[in-house]
Amino acid sequence: MSRYIIRRLIQSFFTILVITTVIFVVGRAAADPMAAYTNNPRITAEDKARIAHNLGLDRPLPVQYLTWLGDVARGDLGTSFVTHQKVSDMIMERLPATLALMISALIATVIVSLIAGVFAATHQYSAGDNLITAATFIGFSMPVFFIGLSLIFIFGVGFKAWGLPYLPTGTDIWDQNDPIEWARHLVLPVLTLTLIQAAGYTRYLRSSLLDVQHQDYIRTAKSKGLADRAVLWKHALKNASLPFVTVLGLDIALLFGGALVTETIFSWPGLGRLFWEQSNAGDFPVMMAILLIVVTLVVVGQIVVDVVYTFLDPRIKLA
């Protein structure tokens, strides 16, 4: 397995190199770092030329990319064009909020998906199965912003208007050192992400369990007199979770980059919101740093998923 992991890591390096090259070229074409100075009448053409030179924007694009790549190799993610802070400091400042949101949403999603998926598969075509199926279709079809705004309207604006205990919507000023305030402000963003993600996970798990339940080894386990619960949790669920783990591995990596829409709707101070704010300002170094993190985690996450496969299914061998 160690040889496989080393080979995959080498392949991942070149994959990340290609992806970052494309992102760099497309990003520079889409975002103009000098946009903030273009329409400012107090800045002369000479000032703009000097700013572009100081930022390295007057050099050829390949040279800019190689310079950025060399800085990243040394652990330097650059300096923000807008705030003039180190990009690494900006990311570390927002990372705890993203981790809190990601871990909470991930735990809630896995719990809901396991309960709903197993129940739907073991009670096929029952009223509960039909209800769960309808709920997952609704979760698939509704965009994130609609669910987020709906939750704000119900549990924030509506409950407050009705005189009921309401949840904060992110528009207030709160003490980020208070764990209770953290928990209160986490509820709606976590609920939004859970409703969206659990819909897909539940469908994957239900479908996989239904396929596995008709396999020969399941019938053999039942014929040996094993209880239905033991067959389900020790045999069926272990093999049915392979597609579940695949999707989960991808989503974990993506969530590290921040849930952009959710964090923006609820004004959550995470990496997703940072990316949105700085991309609107044309802050290219911050954009590239966050995208680099997401790309790296997605690629490495796939290696982790492959390794997890071997523990879930001994028939899978990594060579």
Side-chain angles (χ1 to χ4, degrees):
M1 183 182 294
S2 58
R3 292 178 58 188
Y4 171 81
I5 294 175
I6 293 173
R7 187 172 70 251
R8 285 295 304 274
L9 287 174
I10 295 174
Q11 293 173 351
S12 299
F13 171 77
F14 290 102
T15 301
I16 293 171
L17 191 64
V18 172
I19 294 175
T20 53
T21 302
V22 175
I23 292 176
F24 192 92
V25 174
V26 174
R28 280 303 312 273
D32 181 12
M34 295 295 296
Y37 309 102
T38 301
N39 298 321
N40 191 334
R42 292 178 296 180
I43 298 179
T44 64
E46 291 77 11
D47 292 333
K48 296 176 184 177
R50 185 177 66 255
I51 293 172
H53 177 74
N54 292 336
L55 296 178
L57 300 176
D58 57 345
R59 291 179 289 180
L61 195 59
V63 175
Q64 293 182 39
Y65 174 72
L66 292 176
T67 302
W68 173 82
L69 194 62
D71 291 340
V72 169
R74 293 192 298 271
D76 182 8
L77 296 177
T79 303
S80 169
F81 289 167
V82 177
T83 65
H84 306 295
Q85 295 177 271
K86 284 191 173 182
V87 175
S88 56
D89 292 341
M90 297 175 67
I91 289 176
M92 293 305 299
E93 181 181 351
R94 300 291 189 102
L95 186 59
T98 289
L99 289 177
L101 178 60
M102 181 203 72
I103 294 172
S104 302
L106 185 64
I107 293 174
T109 300
V110 170
I111 293 174
V112 171
S113 302
L114 282 174
I115 294 174
V118 170
F119 180 87
T122 55
H123 298 77
Q124 190 178 13
Y125 302 132
S126 65
D129 180 28
N130 292 333
L131 181 61
I132 291 174
T133 300
T136 56
F137 282 137
I138 293 173
F140 267 129
S141 60
M142 294 297 178
V144 178
F145 72 86
F146 181 82
I147 292 180
L149 293 175
S150 299
L151 293 177
I152 289 175
F153 180 77
I154 296 172
F155 296 104
V157 179
F159 275 31
K160 185 176 182 180
W162 298 330
L164 299 173
Y166 62 92
L167 292 170
T169 61
T171 57
D172 58 325
I173 299 176
W174 53 286
D175 183 7
Q176 296 188 14
N177 295 318
D178 187 346
I180 296 180
E181 285 298 307
W182 265 90
R184 292 183 69 243
H185 283 77
L186 265 174
V187 173
L188 289 184
V190 168
L191 184 57
T192 300
L193 291 175
T194 301
L195 290 175
I196 291 293
Q197 293 176 320
Y201 292 163
T202 300
R203 295 300 299 172
Y204 279 117
L205 195 57
R206 178 186 181 275
S207 177
S208 296
L209 271 175
L210 289 176
D211 290 339
V212 166
Q213 285 178 357
H214 300 290
Q215 298 294 322
D216 291 340
Y217 68 90
I218 297 296
R219 287 194 289 267
T220 301
K222 290 181 178 179
S223 66
K224 290 181 178 180
L226 290 179
D228 290 341
R229 180 171 297 181
V231 173
L232 173 65
W233 293 102
K234 292 184 179 180
H235 297 278
L237 186 60
K238 186 176 180 180
N239 291 293
S241 60
L242 292 179
F244 181 83
V245 170
T246 301
V247 181
L248 187 63
L250 281 173
D251 284 350
I252 290 176
L254 292 174
L255 280 175
F256 262 108
L260 190 150
V261 176
T262 303
E263 290 186 5
T264 303
I265 291 174
F266 293 99
S267 300
W268 187 254
L271 291 178
R273 187 181 174 198
L274 176 65
F275 181 84
W276 174 256
E277 293 170 346
Q278 301 309 115
S279 61
N280 286 334
D283 199 347
F284 192 68
V286 177
M287 296 166 54
M288 281 299 302
I290 295 177
L291 289 173
L292 174 65
I293 293 173
V294 173
V295 169
T296 303
L297 289 173
V298 169
V299 174
V300 175
Q302 287 304 292
I303 301 176
V304 175
V305 168
D306 290 344
V307 174
V308 173
Y309 273 2
T310 62
F311 294 99
L312 294 175
D313 190 347
R315 296 171 299 178
I316 298 176
K317 302 295 182 181
L318 301 179

